Amino acid sequence: MSDRGKRSMLPTVTQIGLVVVLQLAFLIRFAGLDNKPLWKDEVYSLTRAAGYRIERTIARELHQQNVVAGDLAKYLDPANTPRSWNETWVALKSKPEHPPLYFLLLRGFVSEFQSNPEARIFSVTTGAFAVVAIWSLGWTLFRRESAGWGAVMLAVASPVLLRYSQEIRHYGLWLLFGILATICLLKALDRDSNKGWWRQYGWYLTLAGATHLLTASLAIVHGAIVAISTRAAATRDRRRAWRSWLTCIAIAASIVAPWPLMALGKEDYLRKPAAYARFAETSPRELVSAWLQRSAEAVVFLPDRLPSGVALLVAAGVVTLSLASAVWLWRSGERRAVAAAGCLTLIPFLLVAVPDVLLGGARSMIPRYFLLSFVGAIVLLGGALGRVFDRANVLQRSAIAIVLAILCLSNVVGYSSRESWEPEPFRTVEFAQAIAQQSDVTLVSDAPLAELLTIAPQLPPEYPLIWIDTDRPIDLALPDTDLLIHSRDNDDLDTLIQQQLRQQLHKTTPPQKTPEDRKIFERDDYVLWKLSQSDIDETDRRLTGQP
């Protein structure tokens, strides 16, 4: 082996440490994984990977059909789907708001195991390797190993990274590619490094673009890093760096561009920017409060039961600590690293937050839209933590390690609890429990199909149900059983069902709203009603004055 090859190898102790970190990252991300139900966005991922289009294929197959809950399992099973790879490709092209790479890799991954639960393991795998990549990013950015270890100690149990390491969504894979692309860019900008880093940078940037269109914000961050890194360079070196970077951007864009152009060619996607301001009604105060609490999720899990004042205080402490770390590292002479980490933290966030402030949106309250900002904050805090660790004595290092271990354990326990779930899985679990308690009934639902597909896996496989697509003609043949009506706009569906029952019973009295005592369960804007032919008879007798 050449001297150059020897110098590029990591010390044995470092290699062992990284293996331990990787194993710990896997272990933490498996915590509570089996207890988390699917939610709507995960349903979209599974159906697309399985080759189905919810609005077309599945809706057409299920509309007004008498089926059982187990019949819906095939739509969520890319491992054993009867649909071909070409049908998966067609399904992805039919709704191209997300590039196809993740969904194709997801189908290939679960097909190898022939088991659908492995879908979440794919996200766990990408999330665990992203932790190791953050170690490399910290070391590359600050050019000292302690910064990498400081970053990885915060990242291994970061609540926001844990969330997207467990969901069947593409954000974890995209983040991994984005971190690797940033590492390669930093190495490529080192004049003494191998120029092959530019090729690797272009490769990972292309993979990131083929996973999520948020790569556009990543490219802006990288442009800022190129500007920072070449500011003091000779004119020739600066021009060479810009030329290499722009070449990589052009190649990646030419490969990825057909997908967003395909989305823009569809009328419904052209209407989405106009509806941006109607995404949610939010005040500046609500936005700032949400930003503070979201920023804390980089390193601390804040349970919902925590009083809002305490949560804001903790979040403000995390933000203050991050700013203090940046100032300290800047004064310590690590200005290039602080500036690059600052770009990684601020630019993705501002690209989402500024439109929210101007248009009244709420996307900046959702962490997935600026995941890179969390990575930047973790690396910045890790750089400061590594410097503190370098200067500490044995006793102080032990105290720091204990505090970090407690923080890690607290995050894992908190995030494994039920209150860490999204609100939608809460609702689907409670509805599934309420539905399963009713026997000898047929579930009739006009809820969005993705909502029903989150509930069905939690019901007994033989549970009968009927789904109604309100956008299609309705001529319903009701079974001779009691009915559970599951609806977002219950009055309309309730009226329809009563009309159908009256037709079967040859009744002519007008439909009446179902009595409140027939309400089984209600949450948010969804309601469960129990209705039967005897209910119609009883209503008719009451209206006509018959005994």
Side-chain angles (χ1 to χ4, degrees), residues 107-129:
R107 174 165 178 170
F109 186 88
V110 298
S111 296
E112 287 296 318
F113 291 92
Q114 291 297 309
S115 175
N116 196 54
E118 307 299 336
R120 279 203 170 122
I121 297 180
F122 182 55
S123 297
V124 167
T125 302
T126 59
F129 279 101

Side-chain angles (χ1 to χ4, degrees), residues 163-409:
R163 174 185 300 179
Y164 295 104
S165 295
Q166 292 187 329
E167 286 190 356
I168 309 173
R169 299 294 286 154
H170 41 202
Y171 299 101
L173 180 65
W174 173 77
L175 186 63
L176 174 60
F177 287 145
I179 295 171
L180 293 175
T182 306
I183 294 169
C184 293
L185 175 64
L186 291 169
K187 290 184 177 292
L189 291 170
D190 185 350
R191 286 175 295 174
D192 298 329
S193 69
N194 185 352
K195 299 307 176 183
W197 287 112
W198 280 115
R199 290 191 292 272
Q200 294 186 49
Y201 168 68
W203 170 248
Y204 285 122
L205 187 67
T206 302
L207 291 176
T211 305
H212 204 292
L213 298 181
L214 285 174
T215 305
S217 66
L218 178 64
I220 296 174
V221 171
H222 288 171
I225 290 176
V226 173
I228 292 169
S229 300
T230 60
R231 184 175 59 86
T235 302
R236 181 179 178 182
D237 292 334
R238 185 165 58 251
R239 289 177 177 175
R240 183 186 297 116
W242 278 107
R243 185 168 56 250
S244 299
W245 178 73
L246 289 173
T247 300
C248 292
I249 291 292
I251 293 174
S254 64
I255 295 173
V256 176
W259 208 261
L261 290 176
M262 190 186 309
L264 290 175
K266 294 182 177 290
E267 183 181 354
D268 54 339
Y269 292 107
L270 291 176
R271 289 196 299 265
K272 285 186 177 181
Y276 190 99
R278 296 192 296 273
F279 183 81
E281 294 294 333
T282 53
S283 66
R285 182 177 179 179
E286 289 174 325
L287 283 174
V288 173
S289 176
W291 294 344
L292 278 174
Q293 294 193 50
R294 290 290 179 263
S295 64
E297 292 183 10
V299 292
V300 180
F301 174 76
L302 298 177
D304 291 338
R305 67 174 181 273
L306 197 66
S308 58
V310 177
L312 287 175
L313 186 63
V314 173
V318 173
V319 172
T320 302
L321 183 60
S322 301
L323 292 174
S325 299
V327 171
W328 181 45
L329 293 172
W330 182 275
R331 291 180 175 178
S332 298
E334 297 182 296
R335 298 185 176 183
R336 172 182 173 272
V338 172
C343 290
L344 192 61
T345 304
L346 293 177
I347 291 177
F349 171 71
L350 291 176
L351 289 173
V352 181
V354 171
D356 277 354
V357 173
L358 296 178
L359 301 177
R363 285 178 174 82
S364 60
M365 299 171 68
I366 305 175
R368 63 174 178 260
Y369 291 117
F370 50 98
L371 274 175
L372 287 172
S373 297
F374 292 96
V375 173
I378 288 171
V379 170
L380 192 59
L381 286 169
L385 181 60
R387 182 169 287 276
V388 170
F389 206 77
D390 287 338
R391 297 182 177 184
N393 56 38
V394 175
L395 184 61
Q396 292 170 332
R397 290 183 178 184
S398 300
I400 293 172
I402 292 173
V403 171
L404 289 173
I406 294 173
L407 177 64
C408 177
L409 183 61

Side-chain angles (χ1 to χ4, degrees), residues 87-101:
E87 287 172 310
T88 292
W89 180 253
V90 171
L92 294 174
K93 288 198 301 180
S94 69
K95 200 167 184 180
E97 75 268 31
H98 296 306
L101 181 59

